[in-house]
Amino acid sequence: VNVGGAAHVLEACAESNVSRLIYLSSTTVYGAHPDNPALLTEASETRPAPGFQYSVDKVRAEELIRQFAESTPDTSALILRCCPVVGARADNFVARAFLKPVLVAVRGADPPMQLIHEDDLVSSMVPCTLETAAGIFNVAGSGTIRWSEMANALGRRLVTLPAALLYPATQAAWALRLQSDSPASGLDLIRYPWNASTVKIETELDFRPSHTSRQAWEAYAEGRRSSKQEAATG
């Protein structure tokens, strides 16, 4: 939901006297920065990459929801900051990136990535819906998997380029509409760490995913292999 969509949803909530609102945000709101701590908490500053509209919109939508919750005390609002969701049926910007035969990486960088299995995200909605807790909660699979390992799991070639070359080339391709994946600022997500702590959701909502980040990615890789086999035999 973009900012305009969030505003319309909140208007409908106010008119319908909704008592509980859950918004699925993203851990990309923290931004990927060289000075990020090992694990970002819900109290960490939101610093989305400039020009990476997905994250910018998430931050703005979160602010609208906080304002709504403050002005509507009868409505309990919970914001779930989720890492990228993968699994056999995944279809998002991370999953789609791996449909390409060749992937890029920033030379000298191979950040650990957090992922969550799609089934675990669905499961997380149960305590979020049934409990009365409000505020912001991070949700992610345990552990991490590196960008290079994600590529290897799918047999993708990884081309590493120096940042001084990759960033201008990516921005030029974006400006000329030669690619629609991301402006150059999106490269920060595969250059710097942006992993989130899940202590709060574990302790306050007693939620722990059943898959690790690595297992979630393996499920996606297996799903892709199965799809290829079905297409080949169909």
Side-chain angles (χ1 to χ4, degrees):
V1 178
N2 57 25
V3 177
H8 289 310
V9 169
L10 294 176
E11 289 176 6
C13 287
E15 293 173 358
S16 304
N17 297 317
V18 168
S19 60
R20 186 155 179 78
L21 172 66
I22 300 173
Y23 177 68
L24 186 61
S25 186
S26 166
T27 53
T28 62
V29 299
Y30 297 118
H33 304 281
D35 61 345
N36 275 347
L39 291 174
L40 295 145
T41 72
E42 290 82 355
S44 297
E45 181 182 1
T46 55
R47 298 186 293 168
F52 195 72
Q53 202 59 42
Y54 173 81
S55 303
V56 172
D57 283 347
K58 289 292 187 183
V59 172
R60 291 174 178 169
E62 284 190 13
E63 181 58 30
L64 287 176
I65 292 169
R66 282 194 291 268
Q67 293 173 1
F68 175 79
E70 291 173 359
S71 62
T72 315
D74 291 337
T75 300
S76 172
L78 186 149
I79 294 172
L80 200 61
R81 287 178 178 164
C82 186
C83 70
V85 184
V86 294
R89 300 174 294 278
D91 182 19
N92 53 35
F93 73 97
V94 173
R96 287 192 294 271
F98 284 84
L99 297 178
K100 301 174 182 177
V102 178
L103 294 170
V104 297
V106 182
R107 184 166 296 171
D110 191 14
M113 311 287 286
Q114 276 181 325
L115 305 169
I116 188 168
H117 194 283
E118 53 201 2
D119 292 343
D120 285 326
L121 176 59
V122 173
S123 297
S124 74
M125 294 297 177
V126 175
C128 289
T129 302
L130 298 179
E131 298 292 337
T132 59
I136 300 171
F137 292 84
N138 294 329
V139 61
S142 60
T144 59
I145 179 171
R146 292 191 178 275
W147 185 246
S148 61
E149 294 176 314
M150 293 168 68
N152 289 337
L154 282 164
R156 296 295 186 265
R157 182 186 174 196
L158 198 63
V159 177
T160 59
L161 297 170
L165 173 63
L166 185 55
Y167 275 71
T170 301
Q171 190 61 36
W174 174 263
L176 295 172
R177 298 185 179 180
L178 299 178
Q179 58 93 3
S180 58
D181 297 329
S182 167
S185 58
L187 293 171
D188 290 348
L189 296 172
I190 59 170
R191 185 181 186 184
Y192 302 120
W194 46 290
N195 297 320
S197 168
T198 56
V199 170
K200 185 178 179 183
I201 197 169
E202 291 170 3
T203 56
E204 295 189 22
L205 295 181
D206 194 28
F207 172 75
R208 290 171 178 79
S210 59
H211 302 79
T212 65
S213 294
R214 185 177 299 276
Q215 288 170 336
W217 187 250
E218 289 171 350
Y220 173 67
E222 181 58 32
R224 292 300 308 165
R225 286 191 289 269
S226 297
S227 296
K228 284 186 177 181
Q229 290 174 356
E230 291 175 1
T233 58

